[in-house]
Amino acid sequence: MSSNYTPPAPGSKIIIVGAGALGLSTAFALSEKKEAYDIHVFDRDQIPVPDAASTDINKSVRMEYGNDTLYLNLMLEALPMWHEWNRERAEQGESPVFHNTGVLMLCRNGQLSKYEQQSMQRIREAGHGHALEELTTPESILAKFPHFNDAVSNGYNIACYNKEGGWCHSSEAIKHVYNKCVRNGVHFTLGKDKGCFERLYKDENGAAIGIVTKDGAVHHGDRVIMATGPWTAGLIGLQDKLRATGQVVIQFKPPTSSIFHTPGQPVWSADVSNTGYYGFPINPDGKIKIARHAAGYLNPRTDDKVSIPRTQTSNPTDTIPIKALRDFREFLANFFPETTSMDVAYARVCWYSDTADGHFLIAPHPKIENLIIASGDSGHLMKFLPNIGIKVAEIIEGKENDYTKVWGWREAPSSQSDGSRDAASASVPILEDPSNEDTRMATLEELKA
């Protein structure tokens, strides 16, 4: 943290731009410090914001982070909080937001990849070895999870299973934390004019003293927190630190006779550090989601070439690029051949705010006083929804810890660190690039079986 940063005084007005996972978690954490701050959250849409990455049917909740113990420890802190949220919801007569199905990491050719090996080692060292089960033969995988029969016979024949992970219903979890914010007196200004951030409002020294919204209104604040996810680089000129990349997601709605209706299914990944593919058990609405954690796609603005999200809010007919669809189909033909006869029921590009090293960027801006950036999710933030805001609040209050060092302002290194990401795909194609047929959006007809 920079040495000249001054924490906000008690009673300060704090403006948070963005009502996704980081913005809401931060607002709630600050609101728990009773009457310490006057907290105002702005967003251009209603909550859950339709095109936020966190607005989804599910996200994985996993401990596995290769050798990176920082996020393992953050997850070990988040897990009991997810269970606590489930208890709160049960008392309110609502469905759980966390589903403790466990996480199954499949690998190929009888050999766990380095990522899975390191993950297990670190989890054991953290005292959670009891949660792990190594499934070292095809028979041991199928005894527990028979619906992976085709995947196993096609070479995904060794696995590790962590019974403590699972998935969260991310849209519901966002609504849950939003309701907690409202109960704690957080103010919300939502809507495409009055809630939409236009620019920072600065004093003569260039310090941020508030924001201007699209309707022209000036909102004064003692601190401005930009929790604007993949929009951040384009809004604040941080393209040297953050980059919006679009990642591909599909859903199927399998018939009731399908293997996907077998009970007891885990969240799974398929040699993820080499393929990027992972997926979820069927949800209560009968949908299964499969996604790919990879280099993704860019959508550069015409004037300055900064990549900005292109979503179904502004482009309602968007699906996913045709090559991504073909890659999904090719992968699934081996992994879940049953999907070959199924239409893709829904497809979208989900936007990450990527940093070069895969670590979040949560820090005071070194050049603009009173501005704090809370971004750089790099596609692995949602699992920390219950506790990430606590860490952001500590950064706002100028407290040093293990997280401030890693998430602070830094020169961009050259490699992506999260081992669950398909490492082979370094070059990033441009969406709807006229010179590259592979990047055009698939038609609804092409989503059919």
Side-chain angles (χ1 to χ4, degrees), residues 22 25-27 29-30 384-394:
L22 255 169
S25 187
T26 301
L30 290 171
F384 308 119
L385 180 68
N387 63 330
I388 187 70
I390 297 167
K391 306 303 177 203
V392 183
E394 288 176 352

Side-chain angles (χ1 to χ4, degrees), residues 156-323:
Y156 292 91
N157 53 14
I158 187 168
C160 50
Y161 175 65
N162 185 338
K163 69 174 189 225
E164 287 191 350
W167 59 277
C168 68
H169 186 329
S170 43
S171 295
E172 274 304 309
I174 287 289
K175 285 194 264 187
H176 186 71
V177 71
Y178 166 64
N179 290 330
K180 288 162 81 76
C181 287
V182 170
R183 284 195 292 275
N184 274 3
V186 174
H187 306 277
F188 285 88
T189 305
L190 306 172
K192 63 181 192 299
D193 291 321
K194 61 180 185 174
C196 182
F197 174 88
E198 189 71 26
R199 58 185 168 85
L200 292 172
Y201 187 64
K202 297 179 183 175
D203 67 12
E204 64 278 8
N205 301 319
I209 53 168
I211 66 168
V212 180
T213 45
K214 201 168 180 182
D215 58 1
V218 175
H219 306 271
H220 289 272
D222 302 298
R223 283 291 178 284
V224 177
I225 321 269
M226 292 298 288
T228 41
W231 284 268
T232 311
L235 291 173
I236 297 289
L238 288 178
Q239 56 271 28
D240 60 327
K241 300 268 183 276
L242 300 169
R243 180 166 73 168
T245 66
Q247 308 287 330
V248 286
V249 177
I250 60 171
Q251 293 174 16
F252 293 101
K253 208 159 181 188
T256 45
S257 58
S258 137
I259 54 162
F260 296 111
H261 285 275
T262 316
Q265 295 191 35
V267 172
W268 56 267
S269 63
D271 197 10
V272 72
S273 55
N274 292 305
T275 71
Y277 288 108
Y278 64 100
F280 296 84
I282 200 155
N283 79 348
D285 297 331
K287 296 171 180 170
I288 63 160
K289 177 179 124 180
I290 297 163
R292 193 173 188 194
H293 193 44
Y297 293 83
L298 300 177
N299 181 48
R301 287 193 292 218
T302 43
D303 54 352
D304 59 7
K305 301 293 179 263
V306 175
S307 181
I308 54 165
R310 172 188 164 125
T311 73
Q312 291 172 345
T313 297
S314 51
N315 296 74
T317 60
D318 273 7
T319 57
I320 58 172
I322 185 68
K323 181 170 191 312

Side-chain angles (χ1 to χ4, degrees), residues 5-6 207-209 221-225 365 368-372:
Y5 176 74
T6 317
I209 53 168
D222 302 298
R223 283 291 178 284
V224 177
I225 321 269
H365 194 292
I368 305 173
E369 209 180 318
N370 306 333
L371 174 65
I372 291 167

Side-chain angles (χ1 to χ4, degrees), residues 326-367:
R326 289 177 185 138
D327 289 347
F328 266 120
R329 288 290 194 188
E330 188 182 335
F331 162 73
L332 290 169
N334 275 324
F335 199 84
F336 283 139
E338 205 183 285
T339 58
T340 305
S341 61
M342 294 178 199
D343 297 345
V344 172
Y346 175 71
R348 83 153 171 167
V349 176
C350 172
W351 289 88
Y352 292 1
S353 174
D354 273 336
T355 59
D357 57 9
H359 292 302
F360 308 151
L361 177 64
I362 305 174
H365 194 292
K367 296 203 172 84

